[in-house]
Amino acid sequence: MDTIRADFPILHQKVYDKPYVYLDNGATTQKPKVVIEAVKNFYEQTNSNIHRGVHLLSEKSTEQYEQARSMVAEFIHANSTNEIIFTKGTTDSINLVAFSFGEKYIVANDEIIVSEMEHHSNIVPWQMLCERKQAKLKVLPFDDNGELCIEKLDELITKRTKLIAVTHVSNSLGTVNPIAEIVKIAHAKGVKVLVDGAQAIQHTAIDVQALDCDFYVFSGHKIYAETGIGVLYGKEKLLNEMPPYQGGGDMIKEVTFEKTTYSDLPLKFEAGTNNYVAAISLGEAINYVQAIGIETIAAHENKLVQYASHKLGTIDGLRIYGTATNKVSVISFLVDNIHHYDMGMMLDKMGIAVRTGSHCTQPVMAHFDITGTVRASFAFYNTKEEIDRLYDGIIRIKKIFA
Ligand code: PMP
């Protein structure tokens, strides 16, 4: 653990003169030295725009960018690099599909299903699509443990259902959803499935072919890479059928004022200068994760969640939201009638960073009739001692409020 923590410079500082405890990994993860140095080295030695120049550094940049694409493809077990589109992030990937798939396949009175536990970024783009096309948004509910009511899916799907958009892991409850099962039910009725992997990619091994999902999306910054890069995986046949999302450089074959022809995959969906440096940092981050092993990471994080659930669970008046049998990385809670903001601000003064509020999942808060929670979310560099600090902090705050 000491070696792993040594890889993350930001963890070794004091805030308010206290050792920093970073438990907001669901919002973004910290970056290991190898990623930070790769970015610095790239700017110092290689930087040139990709897919444009014939000069050496442009070729090297392009090579590294395409290498990062191959690494992503391998990491999630895609069939081909044509299925990996670099975007700005999860939100951008979902908007791309909502626009492009929507343009091609959605007509008035069609239906799209989202789950009740989606992040706003997996709700709003579909609502906007439904408004544009006069289609209908339907909701798959979850129960009070935070588990999806899969048994209701069969009756929710009708002949008009075109797509189900569902999160792999809930960012506010930690629930791991049974994606393969959902895909099976959907595909039996000819319905496509988009999976939001923003909170799964850093915690579990992903095999898009085994899941058989049609789209899988995630953000680089949640898996130890820079901000500004994301991935859209899509089955090649579908991506080929879908129209471009944005027009511009890189996504064209030939432009005349009469007619423009588009690039083949994956560039068809990558208009303009993409954040190629962040893509390269994603390749580095994946390398780093693979060197440690995603299974090793998952095992440590699972121990942390179990330890935290048990330890925080002993605090009188503490209520945990999200008690699914299969959950990872996240503990959402409230204590007595202490407001989540007060709890978060007081923990901050003790050097402990947690997230407070609705976590961009207002419908989840509405389900429990609350305005927000305190969320501690873990990465593999967190320790039991940090959870003990959180526990001690909560006990102190409880006393102050009493
Ligand atoms: N979906 C989920 C489940 C998330 O946790 C997040 C980030 N909090 C997003 C989507 C959006 O990711 P981004 O802001 O990187 O686009």
Side-chain angles (χ1 to χ4, degrees):
M1 183 46 77
D2 284 347
T3 337
I4 281 172
R5 287 181 70 84
D7 288 342
F8 293 83
I10 205 170
L11 301 177
H12 307 282
Q13 61 179 303
K14 288 191 167 175
V15 297
Y16 307 113
D17 220 22
K18 314 228 168 34
Y20 189 40
V21 176
Y22 184 72
L23 299 178
D24 195 15
N25 295 285
T28 199
T29 53
Q30 301 302 356
K31 316 306 167 201
K33 264 192 261 177
V34 282
V35 169
I36 298 168
E37 273 159 22
V39 171
K40 182 169 171 283
N41 290 342
F42 184 83
Y43 277 124
E44 285 181 355
Q45 295 162 19
T46 315
N47 181 48
S48 275
N49 207 337
I50 50 166
H51 300 139
R52 285 177 171 81
V54 289
H55 57 90
L56 183 66
L57 294 194
S58 174
E59 278 178 11
K60 279 191 176 176
S61 297
T62 307
E63 205 177 288
Q64 287 191 38
Y65 178 71
E66 290 305 328
Q67 172 70 15
R69 197 193 305 278
S70 301
M71 290 173 74
V72 171
E74 223 173 277
F75 188 56
I76 64 170
H77 299 94
N79 234 325
S80 126
T81 48
N82 285 344
E83 298 182 319
I84 305 298
I85 313 295
F86 281 127
T87 64
K88 287 189 288 185
T90 304
T91 306
D92 194 35
S93 299
I94 296 170
N95 275 278
L96 189 163
V97 178
F99 177 85
S100 175
F101 181 91
E103 274 309 290
K104 176 82 185 177
Y105 297 108
I106 304 294
V107 296
N109 300 318
D110 278 349
E111 295 169 358
I112 291 162
I113 298 175
V114 296
S115 94
E116 192 187 5
M117 67 171 75
E118 296 312 308
H119 188 279
H120 297 160
S121 65
N122 204 21
I123 299 173
V124 184
W126 304 114
Q127 268 175 332
M128 290 163 69
L129 168 63
C130 286
E131 262 179 43
R132 277 199 309 274
K133 298 278 183 165
Q134 276 85 54
K136 190 172 162 194
L137 193 73
K138 292 167 91 175
V139 181
L140 176 67
F142 63 81
D143 65 20
D144 290 345
N145 292 324
E147 296 190 356
L148 285 179
C149 304
I150 300 294
E151 70 284 356
K152 298 211 165 127
L153 194 53
D154 232 11
E155 77 190 50
L156 261 184
I157 298 174
T158 71
K159 283 197 168 59
R160 309 273 355 187
T161 310
K162 291 283 170 65
L163 182 120
I164 299 173
V166 64
T167 194
H168 197 165
V169 171
S170 155
N171 66 311
S172 49
L173 302 169
T175 314
V176 182
N177 288 320
I179 296 301
E181 194 185 335
I182 293 171
V183 171
K184 225 172 172 181
I185 296 169
H187 282 182
K189 300 194 171 188
V191 176
K192 306 288 185 221
V193 180
L194 174 139
V195 181
D196 174 353
Q199 297 292 340
I201 191 76
Q202 65 282 52
H203 302 301
T204 45
I206 304 298
D207 183 333
V208 288
Q209 291 189 67
L211 292 174
D212 198 27
C213 54
D214 301 282
F215 304 102
Y216 197 96
V217 299
F218 65 90
S219 300
H221 70 97
K222 312 250 191 204
I223 180 167
Y224 315 108
E226 280 197 285
T227 50
I229 191 72
V231 169
L232 160 63
Y233 156 83
K235 285 186 176 165
E236 189 163 354
K237 182 173 176 297
L238 258 176
L239 291 177
N240 265 326
E241 287 167 6
M242 286 159 48
Y245 172 46
Q246 292 180 325
D250 254 16
M251 55 74 73
I252 52 89
K253 267 188 188 148
E254 203 169 36
V255 178
T256 67
F257 288 115
E258 288 70 41
K259 183 166 174 60
T260 289
T261 51
Y262 305 128
S263 298
D264 295 328
L265 290 174
L267 297 188
K268 178 173 103 174
F269 291 108
E270 294 182 5
T273 299
N274 239 3
N275 196 341
Y276 56 90
V277 187
I280 290 162
S281 86
L282 176 57
E284 276 307 322
I286 288 175
N287 228 346
Y288 179 79
V289 164
Q290 281 178 320
I292 294 166
I294 191 87
E295 281 82 11
T296 310
I297 288 174
H300 176 70
E301 289 175 346
N302 284 340
K303 273 191 204 146
L304 287 179
V305 173
Q306 275 167 27
Y307 182 73
S309 303
H310 177 73
K311 182 128 194 180
L312 301 192
T314 62
I315 299 174
D316 195 32
L318 186 143
R319 306 176 299 283
I320 292 177
Y321 294 87
T323 48
T325 321
N326 195 1
K327 72 177 275 189
V328 289
S329 160
V330 167
I331 308 276
S332 254
F333 62 91
L334 287 172
V335 184
D336 300 333
N337 53 5
I338 304 170
H339 197 278
H340 42 98
Y341 288 149
D342 292 336
M343 176 70 79
M345 279 164 60
M346 292 172 91
L347 286 171
D348 174 54
K349 297 293 179 289
M350 298 173 189
I352 304 164
V354 291
R355 175 91 183 256
T356 59
S358 73
H359 320 297
C360 295
T361 55
Q362 287 178 13
V364 172
M365 302 303 129
H367 177 106
F368 292 110
D369 199 18
I370 54 178
T371 57
T373 67
V374 182
R375 182 187 75 180
S377 53
F378 310 108
F380 69 98
Y381 43 64
N382 287 126
T383 62
K384 283 185 175 173
E385 291 70 35
E386 290 180 312
I387 292 166
D388 292 342
R389 286 262 314 272
L390 174 65
Y391 172 90
D392 293 344
I394 296 169
I395 296 287
R396 267 182 68 191
I397 294 164
K398 251 179 85 74
K399 281 191 186 139
I400 292 166
F401 273 86

